[in-house]
Amino acid sequence: MTNLVIVGSVALDTVKTPFGKVKDALGGAATYSSYAASFFAKPAIVGVVGSDFPKQHLQLLQQRGIDTGGVKVDKNGRTFRWEGYYEYDMNEAKTVKTELGVFANFKPQLPPSYKDAEYAFLANIDPVLQLEVLQQVRKPKLVLLDTMNYWINNRKRQLLEVVKKVDVLLLNDSEARQLFETPNLVKAAGAALKLGPRFVIIKKGEHGALLFSDGNHFSAPSYPLENIRDPTGCGDSFAGALIGYLASRNSGSEKDIRKAIIYGSVVASFNAEDFSLERMKRLTAAEIEKRYREFERMREF
Ligand code: AMP
């Protein structure tokens, strides 16, 4: 039985940054987030790939203890592909192309062993699919939701329906402004809390993250990284580490969410040091703990 279910894109990414480029590299929201979560818990993923998806990518996830039994191989189509680039402002990914491929006709079916999971992460994918997964999880204790501008543009109504059903909403600053139609992040967070979530986390790229709850506010710094090569997947690694940590503590308390945000920032900062999942593949639990302690020291005043 698994205690943490993640649904999201499993992708082949073509990415260019000022520091290099990759073509059809392993990516996707479910991929990055489950890998990051695997440092804390044993996640299981739900998604679909085409027959063009290299087998060694799934093996890589399995070697980390990630359950890929919910990843369907659809022989009739191509794997989801995303192409994007970053300029010197690495906070903002510019999308060149999004090809939904096999995700366009995907009907998620959760394996029976996933249905009693207490923690669920609805990572970036069509909100209709996020909802279909959520409906199959019997009694989740904590559901985290992420999205991006592509779905705010194409599925806003459905996305707001999902927001009403989750405990924690995660957005980056521009998405929060776009979804709640206000330039002010405090107002955007307030509007989100009114819909139902207990917590709203707004990521501000290399400037950290803000946590809002009813009457409370927490601001987390980000790690001052000198060596950023590719920020793709940082949002997903942040979210994966965050929910992985909460699942490992079996907690959704505000105190643990604050710690989980720091773990998320730590793993995301490592992820940015190299392309695709390359840095996370070399990452150790000791490195995560060491950087977590540095964050603690950074916040003392
Ligand atoms: P982030 O963590 O925000 O940098 O997300 C990066 C990942 O999101 C990439 O690996 C892409 O494959 C994936 N992605 C890009 N666009 C979409 C989309 N519209 N839906 C789902 N996943 C996406």
Side-chain angles (χ1 to χ4, degrees), residues 25-289:
L26 175 61
T31 313
Y32 279 108
S33 58
S34 62
Y35 207 96
S38 74
F39 289 99
F40 306 90
K42 287 205 170 301
I45 51 179
V46 180
V48 60
V49 294
S51 51
D52 55 346
F53 192 71
K55 279 199 181 63
Q56 68 266 26
H57 290 341
L58 285 180
Q59 284 161 2
L60 175 78
L61 302 181
Q62 289 154 3
Q63 280 157 11
R64 283 285 325 163
I66 298 165
D67 183 342
T68 61
V71 179
K72 192 179 155 200
V73 181
D74 180 345
K75 297 213 159 47
N76 300 317
R78 266 164 54 100
T79 299
F80 177 98
R81 275 176 171 73
W82 177 73
E83 183 176 344
Y85 67 94
Y86 300 81
E87 287 167 340
Y88 274 102
D89 175 4
M90 303 265 262
N91 272 327
E92 202 197 339
K94 307 250 174 36
T95 294
V96 177
K97 215 169 22 177
T98 303
E99 286 177 28
L100 293 182
V102 286
F103 266 104
N105 299 312
F106 180 50
K107 285 265 159 253
Q109 270 299 327
L110 262 60
S113 62
Y114 290 21
K115 293 188 177 176
D116 287 315
E118 292 176 309
Y119 292 81
F121 176 35
L122 310 177
N124 190 15
I125 198 60
D126 190 332
V128 174
L129 299 180
Q130 293 177 319
L131 202 54
E132 282 176 19
V133 166
L134 188 55
Q135 279 161 351
Q136 295 174 54
V137 182
R138 288 192 187 102
K139 263 182 136 187
K141 266 193 190 165
L142 187 134
V143 181
L144 172 70
L145 170 66
D146 191 16
T147 191
M148 72 180 282
N149 51 7
Y150 183 90
W151 302 111
I152 301 176
N153 292 331
N154 294 302
R155 293 269 196 282
K156 183 167 172 177
R157 188 177 50 79
Q158 295 89 335
L159 177 61
L160 288 170
E161 283 310 304
V162 191
V163 172
K164 289 180 189 161
K165 296 185 164 55
V166 305
D167 303 280
V168 186
L169 171 63
L170 193 60
L171 293 164
N172 70 31
D173 44 2
S174 63
E175 292 157 1
R177 292 189 178 101
Q178 188 187 350
L179 185 59
F180 295 102
E181 296 173 8
T182 168
N184 184 303
L185 293 180
V186 180
K187 284 191 178 148
L193 289 170
K194 270 204 190 117
L195 290 178
R198 283 186 292 133
F199 299 98
V200 177
I201 299 169
I202 299 184
K203 296 168 287 175
K204 291 165 62 79
E206 60 182 326
H207 305 299
L210 304 170
L211 170 71
F212 295 90
S213 61
D214 190 16
N216 265 339
H217 175 217
F218 169 69
S219 165
S222 69
Y223 189 76
L225 255 195
E226 269 180 51
N227 174 27
I228 302 184
R229 296 191 71 211
D230 176 18
T232 307
C234 281
D236 306 314
S237 316
F238 175 93
L242 183 140
I243 193 138
Y245 176 74
L246 292 175
S248 75
R249 305 279 307 167
N250 191 16
S251 168
S253 73
E254 178 149 355
K255 192 163 176 230
D256 284 322
I257 290 182
R258 290 181 180 209
K259 287 187 183 160
I261 288 175
I262 303 299
Y263 276 112
S265 307
V266 167
V267 178
S269 72
F270 281 112
N271 178 64
E273 291 179 5
D274 209 341
F275 283 82
S276 186
L277 277 81
E278 292 309 317
R279 184 61 182 94
M280 279 208 285
K281 283 198 227 168
R282 306 190 298 270
L283 186 58
T284 64
E287 286 177 305
I288 295 176
E289 264 328 290

Side-chain angles (χ1 to χ4, degrees), residues 11-25:
L12 295 174
D13 288 346
T14 296
V15 178
K16 203 168 154 198
T17 81
F19 308 102
K21 57 183 176 191
V22 286
K23 187 173 183 319
D24 285 341

